[in-house]
Amino acid sequence: MTERPMQEPTLLLLTALADAPRHGYALLQEVATISGGRVKMRTGTLYGALDRLLGQGLIHVVGEEIVDGRARRTYALTHSGREILTAEAERLRTVAAEAERRLSMPRLRGAYST
């Protein structure tokens, strides 16, 4: 991955896998929970993102079972995925801390409109 900020769907999926392996439907639920209901990922988006993350080596399949005649894969973070998520969390903490620092500074006169 490059040094550019992580796309939100990627961040949410990796975060959803940070504490436990999950299958697709559970990932959809976790993404909604983590985002406070703001993000409701569509199934096509989910599986496209999972394929991309598998290809990048950030996640891997840890199990597969047949449920109601359909394959259910369970995904987990790889070591590389955990490192990437850790770095992104640190980047976000740094940016948030700077935003809070600047917001706590006294306003310059005339710097802001109502």
Side-chain angles (χ1 to χ4, degrees):
M1 293 194 99
T2 64
E3 293 297 318
R4 68 186 174 104
M6 190 178 284
Q7 298 267 335
E8 185 175 31
T10 300
L11 175 63
L12 292 169
L13 285 171
L14 294 181
T15 300
L17 291 169
D19 61 342
R22 291 190 165 80
H23 57 78
Y25 182 71
L27 284 168
L28 292 175
Q29 293 177 313
E30 283 297 306
V31 164
T33 298
I34 292 165
S35 69
R38 185 179 49 78
V39 175
K40 292 180 171 71
M41 193 174 283
R42 294 177 184 261
T43 306
T45 303
L46 170 69
Y47 288 105
L50 290 173
D51 284 343
R52 181 177 46 78
L53 294 171
L54 281 165
Q56 292 172 335
L58 301 181
I59 64 172
H60 62 113
V61 176
V62 294
E64 192 167 342
E65 61 183 332
I66 303 299
V67 177
D68 296 328
R70 294 174 29 191
R72 176 188 282 177
R73 287 181 167 181
T74 300
Y75 302 89
L77 282 182
T78 61
H79 179 72
S80 194
R82 186 166 293 282
E83 286 180 342
I84 293 290
L85 181 58
T86 298
E88 182 66 4
E90 180 57 32
R91 184 192 72 76
L92 290 170
R93 266 193 299 278
T94 300
V95 170
E98 182 61 15
E100 289 173 354
R101 184 187 74 77
R102 290 176 183 228
L103 285 168
S104 69
M105 296 173 76
R107 290 191 210 186
L108 297 176
R109 197 176 178 122
Y112 307 99
S113 59
T114 55

Tab-separated table of all heavy atoms in Angstrom, residues 41-71:
chain	number	residue	atom	x	y	z
A	41	MET	N	-22.802	-1.002	3.948
A	41	MET	CA	-22.098	-1.514	2.781
A	41	MET	C	-22.980	-2.509	2.025
A	41	MET	O	-23.638	-3.342	2.628
A	41	MET	CB	-20.804	-2.192	3.246
A	41	MET	CG	-19.844	-2.501	2.156
A	41	MET	SD	-18.279	-3.149	2.816
A	41	MET	CE	-17.517	-1.647	3.404
A	42	ARG	N	-23.002	-2.384	0.717
A	42	ARG	CA	-23.744	-3.328	-0.119
A	42	ARG	C	-22.929	-4.602	-0.291
A	42	ARG	O	-21.703	-4.580	-0.234
A	42	ARG	CB	-24.040	-2.709	-1.470
A	42	ARG	CG	-24.988	-1.528	-1.388
A	42	ARG	CD	-25.180	-0.931	-2.775
A	42	ARG	NE	-26.001	0.242	-2.723
A	42	ARG	CZ	-27.302	0.242	-3.005
A	42	ARG	NH1	-27.898	-0.866	-3.383
A	42	ARG	NH2	-27.979	1.356	-2.927
A	43	THR	N	-23.625	-5.676	-0.548
A	43	THR	CA	-22.975	-6.975	-0.689
A	43	THR	C	-21.922	-6.971	-1.793
A	43	THR	O	-20.817	-7.480	-1.606
A	43	THR	CB	-24.034	-8.064	-0.975
A	43	THR	OG1	-25.025	-8.010	0.046
A	43	THR	CG2	-23.424	-9.445	-0.991
A	44	GLY	N	-22.253	-6.393	-2.953
A	44	GLY	CA	-21.295	-6.340	-4.059
A	44	GLY	C	-20.040	-5.567	-3.695
A	44	GLY	O	-18.925	-5.966	-4.050
A	45	THR	N	-20.217	-4.464	-2.972
A	45	THR	CA	-19.075	-3.665	-2.515
A	45	THR	C	-18.223	-4.472	-1.545
A	45	THR	O	-16.996	-4.474	-1.624
A	45	THR	CB	-19.561	-2.371	-1.836
A	45	THR	OG1	-20.371	-1.641	-2.763
A	45	THR	CG2	-18.404	-1.505	-1.370
A	46	LEU	N	-18.888	-5.173	-0.629
A	46	LEU	CA	-18.181	-5.984	0.360
A	46	LEU	C	-17.300	-7.023	-0.319
A	46	LEU	O	-16.103	-7.103	-0.051
A	46	LEU	CB	-19.176	-6.685	1.287
A	46	LEU	CG	-18.560	-7.751	2.201
A	46	LEU	CD1	-17.659	-7.111	3.248
A	46	LEU	CD2	-19.640	-8.588	2.840
A	47	TYR	N	-17.888	-7.817	-1.207
A	47	TYR	CA	-17.119	-8.911	-1.797
A	47	TYR	C	-16.053	-8.416	-2.765
A	47	TYR	O	-14.989	-9.025	-2.870
A	47	TYR	CB	-18.047	-9.971	-2.394
A	47	TYR	CG	-18.719	-10.731	-1.273
A	47	TYR	CD1	-20.052	-10.506	-0.953
A	47	TYR	CD2	-18.000	-11.622	-0.487
A	47	TYR	CE1	-20.654	-11.170	0.110
A	47	TYR	CE2	-18.587	-12.283	0.576
A	47	TYR	CZ	-19.912	-12.058	0.871
A	47	TYR	OH	-20.487	-12.702	1.931
A	48	GLY	N	-16.289	-7.298	-3.420
A	48	GLY	CA	-15.237	-6.694	-4.240
A	48	GLY	C	-14.065	-6.246	-3.378
A	48	GLY	O	-12.899	-6.470	-3.719
A	49	ALA	N	-14.379	-5.627	-2.240
A	49	ALA	CA	-13.331	-5.162	-1.319
A	49	ALA	C	-12.590	-6.352	-0.711
A	49	ALA	O	-11.359	-6.329	-0.587
A	49	ALA	CB	-13.938	-4.289	-0.224
A	50	LEU	N	-13.316	-7.405	-0.344
A	50	LEU	CA	-12.661	-8.587	0.223
A	50	LEU	C	-11.718	-9.228	-0.796
A	50	LEU	O	-10.603	-9.619	-0.443
A	50	LEU	CB	-13.703	-9.599	0.707
A	50	LEU	CG	-14.503	-9.192	1.947
A	50	LEU	CD1	-15.620	-10.194	2.212
A	50	LEU	CD2	-13.614	-9.021	3.163
A	51	ASP	N	-12.143	-9.322	-2.051
A	51	ASP	CA	-11.266	-9.865	-3.101
A	51	ASP	C	-10.003	-9.021	-3.243
A	51	ASP	O	-8.903	-9.545	-3.375
A	51	ASP	CB	-11.997	-9.933	-4.444
A	51	ASP	CG	-12.984	-11.077	-4.517
A	51	ASP	OD1	-12.905	-12.006	-3.685
A	51	ASP	OD2	-13.847	-11.044	-5.419
A	52	ARG	N	-10.167	-7.699	-3.200
A	52	ARG	CA	-9.014	-6.797	-3.308
A	52	ARG	C	-8.072	-6.966	-2.124
A	52	ARG	O	-6.855	-7.061	-2.276
A	52	ARG	CB	-9.493	-5.340	-3.424
A	52	ARG	CG	-8.377	-4.326	-3.573
A	52	ARG	CD	-8.909	-2.912	-3.755
A	52	ARG	NE	-9.955	-2.537	-2.832
A	52	ARG	CZ	-9.768	-2.180	-1.560
A	52	ARG	NH1	-8.544	-2.162	-1.056
A	52	ARG	NH2	-10.785	-1.826	-0.804
A	53	LEU	N	-8.631	-7.028	-0.920
A	53	LEU	CA	-7.820	-7.184	0.284
A	53	LEU	C	-7.120	-8.546	0.321
A	53	LEU	O	-5.978	-8.643	0.785
A	53	LEU	CB	-8.678	-6.982	1.538
A	53	LEU	CG	-9.238	-5.567	1.722
A	53	LEU	CD1	-10.245	-5.531	2.860
A	53	LEU	CD2	-8.128	-4.565	1.928
A	54	LEU	N	-7.793	-9.583	-0.175
A	54	LEU	CA	-7.149	-10.896	-0.307
A	54	LEU	C	-5.961	-10.800	-1.259
A	54	LEU	O	-4.870	-11.303	-0.959
A	54	LEU	CB	-8.145	-11.935	-0.842
A	54	LEU	CG	-9.138	-12.515	0.151
A	54	LEU	CD1	-10.267	-13.239	-0.586
A	54	LEU	CD2	-8.452	-13.447	1.128
A	55	GLY	N	-6.172	-10.151	-2.404
A	55	GLY	CA	-5.108	-9.986	-3.399
A	55	GLY	C	-3.927	-9.181	-2.879
A	55	GLY	O	-2.783	-9.428	-3.280
A	56	GLN	N	-4.190	-8.240	-1.976
A	56	GLN	CA	-3.130	-7.415	-1.402
A	56	GLN	C	-2.449	-8.105	-0.212
A	56	GLN	O	-1.479	-7.581	0.334
A	56	GLN	CB	-3.700	-6.066	-0.936
A	56	GLN	CG	-4.154	-5.187	-2.071
A	56	GLN	CD	-4.877	-3.946	-1.570
A	56	GLN	OE1	-5.447	-3.911	-0.476
A	56	GLN	NE2	-4.864	-2.908	-2.390
A	57	GLY	N	-2.972	-9.246	0.184
A	57	GLY	CA	-2.377	-9.970	1.300
A	57	GLY	C	-2.689	-9.385	2.666
A	57	GLY	O	-1.994	-9.672	3.642
A	58	LEU	N	-3.742	-8.559	2.757
A	58	LEU	CA	-4.091	-7.936	4.035
A	58	LEU	C	-5.048	-8.795	4.850
A	58	LEU	O	-5.149	-8.641	6.075
A	58	LEU	CB	-4.690	-6.548	3.808
A	58	LEU	CG	-3.784	-5.562	3.064
A	58	LEU	CD1	-4.467	-4.217	2.919
A	58	LEU	CD2	-2.456	-5.419	3.776
A	59	ILE	N	-5.773	-9.684	4.178
A	59	ILE	CA	-6.651	-10.629	4.851
A	59	ILE	C	-6.436	-12.002	4.217
A	59	ILE	O	-5.840	-12.117	3.143
A	59	ILE	CB	-8.146	-10.231	4.762
A	59	ILE	CG1	-8.634	-10.240	3.310
A	59	ILE	CG2	-8.391	-8.876	5.420
A	59	ILE	CD1	-10.145	-10.051	3.171
A	60	HIS	N	-6.929	-13.038	4.892
A	60	HIS	CA	-6.891	-14.378	4.316
A	60	HIS	C	-8.130	-15.134	4.775
A	60	HIS	O	-8.795	-14.754	5.739
A	60	HIS	CB	-5.596	-15.116	4.681
A	60	HIS	CG	-5.409	-15.342	6.138
A	60	HIS	ND1	-5.424	-16.588	6.699
A	60	HIS	CD2	-5.211	-14.485	7.172
A	60	HIS	CE1	-5.227	-16.490	8.009
A	60	HIS	NE2	-5.102	-15.226	8.310
A	61	VAL	N	-8.455	-16.198	4.051
A	61	VAL	CA	-9.598	-17.033	4.390
A	61	VAL	C	-9.130	-18.049	5.432
A	61	VAL	O	-8.134	-18.749	5.222
A	61	VAL	CB	-10.149	-17.754	3.140
A	61	VAL	CG1	-11.285	-18.705	3.514
A	61	VAL	CG2	-10.613	-16.746	2.095
A	62	VAL	N	-9.848	-18.104	6.563
A	62	VAL	CA	-9.471	-19.035	7.633
A	62	VAL	C	-10.448	-20.197	7.750
A	62	VAL	O	-10.205	-21.127	8.510
A	62	VAL	CB	-9.319	-18.319	9.000
A	62	VAL	CG1	-8.153	-17.362	8.967
A	62	VAL	CG2	-10.601	-17.630	9.413
A	63	GLY	N	-11.533	-20.143	7.005
A	63	GLY	CA	-12.492	-21.234	7.045
A	63	GLY	C	-13.526	-21.076	5.961
A	63	GLY	O	-13.777	-19.974	5.477
A	64	GLU	N	-14.095	-22.197	5.581
A	64	GLU	CA	-15.172	-22.178	4.599
A	64	GLU	C	-16.119	-23.320	4.931
A	64	GLU	O	-15.684	-24.425	5.223
A	64	GLU	CB	-14.606	-22.327	3.182
A	64	GLU	CG	-15.618	-22.033	2.115
A	64	GLU	CD	-15.007	-21.867	0.740
A	64	GLU	OE1	-13.785	-21.636	0.643
A	64	GLU	OE2	-15.758	-21.972	-0.223
A	65	GLU	N	-17.411	-23.015	4.932
A	65	GLU	CA	-18.416	-24.026	5.200
A	65	GLU	C	-19.603	-23.794	4.266
A	65	GLU	O	-19.738	-22.712	3.700
A	65	GLU	CB	-18.862	-23.972	6.665
A	65	GLU	CG	-19.492	-22.647	7.066
A	65	GLU	CD	-19.853	-22.577	8.541
A	65	GLU	OE1	-20.134	-23.639	9.150
A	65	GLU	OE2	-19.869	-21.478	9.077
A	66	ILE	N	-20.419	-24.788	4.122
A	66	ILE	CA	-21.621	-24.668	3.297
A	66	ILE	C	-22.801	-24.418	4.232
A	66	ILE	O	-23.063	-25.206	5.147
A	66	ILE	CB	-21.859	-25.943	2.452
A	66	ILE	CG1	-20.644	-26.236	1.573
A	66	ILE	CG2	-23.134	-25.797	1.614
A	66	ILE	CD1	-20.285	-25.162	0.580
A	67	VAL	N	-23.492	-23.299	4.006
A	67	VAL	CA	-24.658	-22.932	4.804
A	67	VAL	C	-25.797	-22.675	3.826
A	67	VAL	O	-25.675	-21.826	2.931
A	67	VAL	CB	-24.382	-21.684	5.670
A	67	VAL	CG1	-25.629	-21.272	6.444
A	67	VAL	CG2	-23.213	-21.922	6.612
A	68	ASP	N	-26.895	-23.401	3.978
A	68	ASP	CA	-28.046	-23.277	3.072
A	68	ASP	C	-27.629	-23.422	1.613
A	68	ASP	O	-28.086	-22.677	0.743
A	68	ASP	CB	-28.775	-21.946	3.292
A	68	ASP	CG	-29.385	-21.843	4.671
A	68	ASP	OD1	-29.804	-22.888	5.223
A	68	ASP	OD2	-29.450	-20.712	5.206
A	69	GLY	N	-26.711	-24.328	1.356
A	69	GLY	CA	-26.274	-24.608	-0.003
A	69	GLY	C	-25.293	-23.603	-0.584
A	69	GLY	O	-24.939	-23.686	-1.755
A	70	ARG	N	-24.862	-22.661	0.219
A	70	ARG	CA	-23.925	-21.636	-0.264
A	70	ARG	C	-22.658	-21.640	0.578
A	70	ARG	O	-22.704	-21.895	1.777
A	70	ARG	CB	-24.582	-20.256	-0.207
A	70	ARG	CG	-25.748	-20.151	-1.174
A	70	ARG	CD	-26.562	-18.893	-1.107
A	70	ARG	NE	-25.883	-17.702	-0.667
A	70	ARG	CZ	-26.512	-16.596	-0.356
A	70	ARG	NH1	-27.822	-16.529	-0.417
A	70	ARG	NH2	-25.839	-15.535	0.023
A	71	ALA	N	-21.547	-21.337	-0.084
A	71	ALA	CA	-20.267	-21.289	0.625
A	71	ALA	C	-20.213	-20.046	1.504
A	71	ALA	O	-20.570	-18.955	1.074
A	71	ALA	CB	-19.111	-21.275	-0.365
